[in-house]
Amino acid sequence: MFTTRPTLQGTFGMVSSTHWLASQSAMAVLEDGGNAFDAAVAAGFVLHVVEPHLNGPGGEAPMILAPAGGEVRVLSGQGPAPAGATIGHYRSLGLELVPGTGPLAAAVPAAFDAWMLLLRDHGTKSLATVLRYAIGYAEDGHAPVERIGQTVEAVRELFETEWTSSADVYLPGGRPPAPGQLFRNPVLAATWRRLVAEAEAAGDDRVAQIEAARAVWREGFIAEALLRQAARPTMDTSGSRHTGTLTAADLAGWSATYEAPATYDWDGWTLCKAGAWSQGPVFLQQLALLPSRAADLPRYASADYVHLLVEGCKLAMADREAWYGDADDVPLAALLSESYNTGRRALIGERASSELRPGSPQGRTPLLSAHAHAVASGKPAFDPMGIPAAGVGEPTVAKDGGTRGDTCHLDVVDRWGNMIAVTPSGGWLQSNPVVPELGFPLGTRLQMAWLDEGLPNSLTPGRRPRTTLTPSLALRDGVPVLAFGTPGGDQQDQWQLHFFLALALRAPVRGGPDLQGAIDAPNWHNDSFPGSFFPRTMRPGSVTVEAGMDPEVIGELRRRGHDVTVGDAWTEGRLCAVARDPETGILSAAANPRGMQGYAVGR
């Protein structure tokens, strides 16, 4: 099969990320003797610099890691709602949805602490060593990708009239960052230089320095600047200026944590995801709705195949809306059980469904937000006022190839067998004003929580808003062999499933996976469920496909009642992946050509 690039193979180390500078920075750490976790931290901070329209230190970074010879663990780089972020407070402001921008939408910023915990517990390098790449690109400059400038141009009026600290960084001399010209963020570089200096003042011990850096973030000069920004009245997608709810106690009292992954066994594979505080189990539910063997699936890329996956996705996403959240009583075991999914599978007919149909695990009654009921019944969603569309959400790649918001992804595997997948996001340049003393903004993840009482994903102090960020790790016969993921908001676990099945159907990991072929294959998604991002719309019966899909398949999908939109070629998915053959030690990597940013490197 023709692919855009080869699947890389080697034995030393492999990296795949959504930006070539992050990939190569991670590879430099591996070449310097670091392991996969050191490399991931270095790349993560570079992504903050070179993809600021897609992620930042004030956002989130859920991770799933497999230390060589150890247990697969999830590192929850997702912060909770602050203590003051109550439904009553937001309702008292006249809000029906959490705004898509501004400090009211800011959860406790989590990415930084998650990276530090990873470096402390699983890395080998010093803080200064892993941060030097990000500091260099922020201080000396990098050639920005075109979409940074496009994003800034889309919110120019907002930056110039309201978010002037953002204009200071992203509109120097009134001009947005442009390809072929060095773009610098000296304030961010100075932030990290000061952080390293204060951390090194704690002594020569590597762990002590990392702990000192965590303290600076929580209670030092960084915390003080974050709190000043949260208290500034800021124009948001409601059309009004609001202050945030973040306090010193919120920052000081939170830490990233480790958790066991949610898992599902399918045809010799074990798929590992974050728990139901993320949308990760949607991937697992989609597998549970399929035949138990790859050989029993319809022919790959046929109309039967696409129809089956789309209809299964609708059912899994409906359950996400009714049951997922950072609550104590999410019935995840029941949602993944064979008995439950046998009944759900029977709902998939020959015709496309336009209904939102959550199930009743253990006989429980599903609960949906009033907004979800409204958009599912065809009522118009709440329209943002006063803020350009580019300032909201974490949507997919649009038909013209452009993006709004979105996300990053990063995978690393090293010669010792350590493996990690990370999906950094949030804290975008268009999410909140740049904190003038720090060079980066707060995030907006609280927009994913509902302002309705009694739901698993109701806005609740101390609870994580249900995130779309969902890295993946797969085991074959109990051994970690594959790490992968993608940007794309609600589409992440659709595109990842399509990638995984393409891989599973074409070639096993042992013997050499065609990672690049699975990434390059024409992709698709549907929006037949309430979106996770403001203004939380829904398109019942929709399927958006790439132009490369077989026209006969498209025609058959339409005959079955699917509302098919044919987008441009190379606009669906931004997958990254690395793999390891445990028998031979051969490592593999591939990256998505869509968006013209992702690259895999290795040897």
Side-chain angles (χ1 to χ4, degrees), residues 267-270 474-481 510 582-583:
D267 200 16
W269 298 82
T270 298
L475 290 69
R476 186 74 175 167
D477 300 322
V479 180
V481 295
R510 288 188 173 89
E583 292 184 348

PDB file of all heavy atoms in Angstrom, residues 267-270 474-481 510 582-583:
ATOM      1  N   ASP A 267      -9.849  -9.698  21.249  1.00  0.00           N
ATOM      2  CA  ASP A 267      -9.125 -10.472  20.241  1.00  0.00           C
ATOM      3  C   ASP A 267      -7.615 -10.530  20.505  1.00  0.00           C
ATOM      4  O   ASP A 267      -6.803 -10.315  19.597  1.00  0.00           O
ATOM      5  CB  ASP A 267      -9.407  -9.896  18.851  1.00  0.00           C
ATOM      6  CG  ASP A 267      -9.114 -10.897  17.741  1.00  0.00           C
ATOM      7  OD1 ASP A 267      -8.986 -12.095  18.042  1.00  0.00           O
ATOM      8  OD2 ASP A 267      -8.998 -10.480  16.567  1.00  0.00           O
ATOM      9  N   GLY A 268      -7.240 -10.814  21.734  1.00  0.00           N
ATOM     10  CA  GLY A 268      -5.826 -10.928  22.086  1.00  0.00           C
ATOM     11  C   GLY A 268      -5.167  -9.634  22.501  1.00  0.00           C
ATOM     12  O   GLY A 268      -4.009  -9.632  22.933  1.00  0.00           O
ATOM     13  N   TRP A 269      -5.871  -8.534  22.363  1.00  0.00           N
ATOM     14  CA  TRP A 269      -5.359  -7.225  22.768  1.00  0.00           C
ATOM     15  C   TRP A 269      -5.983  -6.818  24.106  1.00  0.00           C
ATOM     16  O   TRP A 269      -7.114  -7.183  24.409  1.00  0.00           O
ATOM     17  CB  TRP A 269      -5.728  -6.154  21.746  1.00  0.00           C
ATOM     18  CG  TRP A 269      -5.171  -6.325  20.374  1.00  0.00           C
ATOM     19  CD1 TRP A 269      -5.656  -7.112  19.377  1.00  0.00           C
ATOM     20  CD2 TRP A 269      -4.029  -5.665  19.832  1.00  0.00           C
ATOM     21  NE1 TRP A 269      -4.892  -6.992  18.247  1.00  0.00           N
ATOM     22  CE2 TRP A 269      -3.882  -6.103  18.499  1.00  0.00           C
ATOM     23  CE3 TRP A 269      -3.116  -4.729  20.337  1.00  0.00           C
ATOM     24  CZ2 TRP A 269      -2.853  -5.646  17.677  1.00  0.00           C
ATOM     25  CZ3 TRP A 269      -2.096  -4.278  19.519  1.00  0.00           C
ATOM     26  CH2 TRP A 269      -1.972  -4.733  18.202  1.00  0.00           C
ATOM     27  N   THR A 270      -5.246  -6.009  24.861  1.00  0.00           N
ATOM     28  CA  THR A 270      -5.811  -5.312  26.014  1.00  0.00           C
ATOM     29  C   THR A 270      -5.614  -3.827  25.768  1.00  0.00           C
ATOM     30  O   THR A 270      -4.473  -3.353  25.634  1.00  0.00           O
ATOM     31  CB  THR A 270      -5.121  -5.716  27.326  1.00  0.00           C
ATOM     32  OG1 THR A 270      -5.322  -7.115  27.548  1.00  0.00           O
ATOM     33  CG2 THR A 270      -5.717  -4.932  28.500  1.00  0.00           C
ATOM     34  N   ALA A 474      -1.812  -0.032  24.222  1.00  0.00           N
ATOM     35  CA  ALA A 474      -2.325  -1.369  23.952  1.00  0.00           C
ATOM     36  C   ALA A 474      -1.292  -2.429  24.296  1.00  0.00           C
ATOM     37  O   ALA A 474      -0.096  -2.263  24.050  1.00  0.00           O
ATOM     38  CB  ALA A 474      -2.723  -1.490  22.476  1.00  0.00           C
ATOM     39  N   LEU A 475      -1.784  -3.519  24.876  1.00  0.00           N
ATOM     40  CA  LEU A 475      -0.969  -4.682  25.179  1.00  0.00           C
ATOM     41  C   LEU A 475      -1.387  -5.819  24.253  1.00  0.00           C
ATOM     42  O   LEU A 475      -2.566  -5.945  23.887  1.00  0.00           O
ATOM     43  CB  LEU A 475      -1.145  -5.125  26.630  1.00  0.00           C
ATOM     44  CG  LEU A 475      -0.578  -4.243  27.741  1.00  0.00           C
ATOM     45  CD1 LEU A 475      -1.333  -2.937  27.881  1.00  0.00           C
ATOM     46  CD2 LEU A 475      -0.586  -4.984  29.078  1.00  0.00           C
ATOM     47  N   ARG A 476      -0.416  -6.645  23.883  1.00  0.00           N
ATOM     48  CA  ARG A 476      -0.689  -7.839  23.097  1.00  0.00           C
ATOM     49  C   ARG A 476      -0.242  -9.027  23.938  1.00  0.00           C
ATOM     50  O   ARG A 476       0.916  -9.092  24.347  1.00  0.00           O
ATOM     51  CB  ARG A 476       0.073  -7.799  21.770  1.00  0.00           C
ATOM     52  CG  ARG A 476      -0.251  -8.924  20.815  1.00  0.00           C
ATOM     53  CD  ARG A 476      -1.602  -8.731  20.183  1.00  0.00           C
ATOM     54  NE  ARG A 476      -1.853  -9.751  19.172  1.00  0.00           N
ATOM     55  CZ  ARG A 476      -3.039  -9.982  18.624  1.00  0.00           C
ATOM     56  NH1 ARG A 476      -4.091  -9.258  18.991  1.00  0.00           N
ATOM     57  NH2 ARG A 476      -3.192 -10.913  17.720  1.00  0.00           N
ATOM     58  N   ASP A 477      -1.159  -9.915  24.249  1.00  0.00           N
ATOM     59  CA  ASP A 477      -0.855 -11.056  25.114  1.00  0.00           C
ATOM     60  C   ASP A 477      -0.238 -10.588  26.429  1.00  0.00           C
ATOM     61  O   ASP A 477       0.696 -11.209  26.960  1.00  0.00           O
ATOM     62  CB  ASP A 477       0.074 -12.043  24.405  1.00  0.00           C
ATOM     63  CG  ASP A 477      -0.547 -12.586  23.124  1.00  0.00           C
ATOM     64  OD1 ASP A 477      -1.769 -12.826  23.115  1.00  0.00           O
ATOM     65  OD2 ASP A 477       0.189 -12.750  22.133  1.00  0.00           O
ATOM     66  N   GLY A 478      -0.750  -9.456  26.938  1.00  0.00           N
ATOM     67  CA  GLY A 478      -0.330  -8.948  28.237  1.00  0.00           C
ATOM     68  C   GLY A 478       0.919  -8.100  28.248  1.00  0.00           C
ATOM     69  O   GLY A 478       1.339  -7.628  29.313  1.00  0.00           O
ATOM     70  N   VAL A 479       1.545  -7.862  27.078  1.00  0.00           N
ATOM     71  CA  VAL A 479       2.797  -7.097  27.002  1.00  0.00           C
ATOM     72  C   VAL A 479       2.541  -5.776  26.287  1.00  0.00           C
ATOM     73  O   VAL A 479       1.947  -5.771  25.196  1.00  0.00           O
ATOM     74  CB  VAL A 479       3.881  -7.897  26.246  1.00  0.00           C
ATOM     75  CG1 VAL A 479       5.182  -7.098  26.165  1.00  0.00           C
ATOM     76  CG2 VAL A 479       4.110  -9.240  26.918  1.00  0.00           C
ATOM     77  N   PRO A 480       2.985  -4.629  26.848  1.00  0.00           N
ATOM     78  CA  PRO A 480       2.789  -3.343  26.160  1.00  0.00           C
ATOM     79  C   PRO A 480       3.501  -3.323  24.813  1.00  0.00           C
ATOM     80  O   PRO A 480       4.697  -3.606  24.732  1.00  0.00           O
ATOM     81  CB  PRO A 480       3.404  -2.323  27.122  1.00  0.00           C
ATOM     82  CG  PRO A 480       3.354  -2.982  28.464  1.00  0.00           C
ATOM     83  CD  PRO A 480       3.583  -4.445  28.188  1.00  0.00           C
ATOM     84  N   VAL A 481       2.747  -2.998  23.761  1.00  0.00           N
ATOM     85  CA  VAL A 481       3.328  -3.007  22.412  1.00  0.00           C
ATOM     86  C   VAL A 481       3.017  -1.757  21.608  1.00  0.00           C
ATOM     87  O   VAL A 481       3.665  -1.518  20.577  1.00  0.00           O
ATOM     88  CB  VAL A 481       2.848  -4.241  21.602  1.00  0.00           C
ATOM     89  CG1 VAL A 481       3.359  -5.525  22.212  1.00  0.00           C
ATOM     90  CG2 VAL A 481       1.327  -4.261  21.483  1.00  0.00           C
ATOM     91  N   ARG A 510       3.570  -7.976  16.230  1.00  0.00           N
ATOM     92  CA  ARG A 510       4.697  -8.868  15.973  1.00  0.00           C
ATOM     93  C   ARG A 510       4.791  -9.111  14.464  1.00  0.00           C
ATOM     94  O   ARG A 510       3.823  -9.478  13.813  1.00  0.00           O
ATOM     95  CB  ARG A 510       4.504 -10.190  16.713  1.00  0.00           C
ATOM     96  CG  ARG A 510       4.683 -10.051  18.226  1.00  0.00           C
ATOM     97  CD  ARG A 510       4.666 -11.433  18.885  1.00  0.00           C
ATOM     98  NE  ARG A 510       5.011 -11.323  20.303  1.00  0.00           N
ATOM     99  CZ  ARG A 510       4.117 -11.115  21.266  1.00  0.00           C
ATOM    100  NH1 ARG A 510       2.838 -10.993  20.964  1.00  0.00           N
ATOM    101  NH2 ARG A 510       4.489 -11.036  22.523  1.00  0.00           N
ATOM    102  N   PRO A 582       8.048  -7.073  21.424  1.00  0.00           N
ATOM    103  CA  PRO A 582       8.771  -7.583  22.598  1.00  0.00           C
ATOM    104  C   PRO A 582       9.652  -8.789  22.291  1.00  0.00           C
ATOM    105  O   PRO A 582      10.551  -9.101  23.079  1.00  0.00           O
ATOM    106  CB  PRO A 582       7.636  -7.952  23.569  1.00  0.00           C
ATOM    107  CG  PRO A 582       6.449  -8.174  22.714  1.00  0.00           C
ATOM    108  CD  PRO A 582       6.588  -7.258  21.538  1.00  0.00           C
ATOM    109  N   GLU A 583       9.416  -9.476  21.179  1.00  0.00           N
ATOM    110  CA  GLU A 583      10.236 -10.632  20.842  1.00  0.00           C
ATOM    111  C   GLU A 583      11.560 -10.242  20.198  1.00  0.00           C
ATOM    112  O   GLU A 583      12.599 -10.840  20.459  1.00  0.00           O
ATOM    113  CB  GLU A 583       9.461 -11.565  19.911  1.00  0.00           C
ATOM    114  CG  GLU A 583       8.265 -12.234  20.593  1.00  0.00           C
ATOM    115  CD  GLU A 583       7.579 -13.228  19.682  1.00  0.00           C
ATOM    116  OE1 GLU A 583       7.876 -13.235  18.461  1.00  0.00           O
ATOM    117  OE2 GLU A 583       6.733 -13.985  20.187  1.00  0.00           O
TER     118      GLU A 583
END
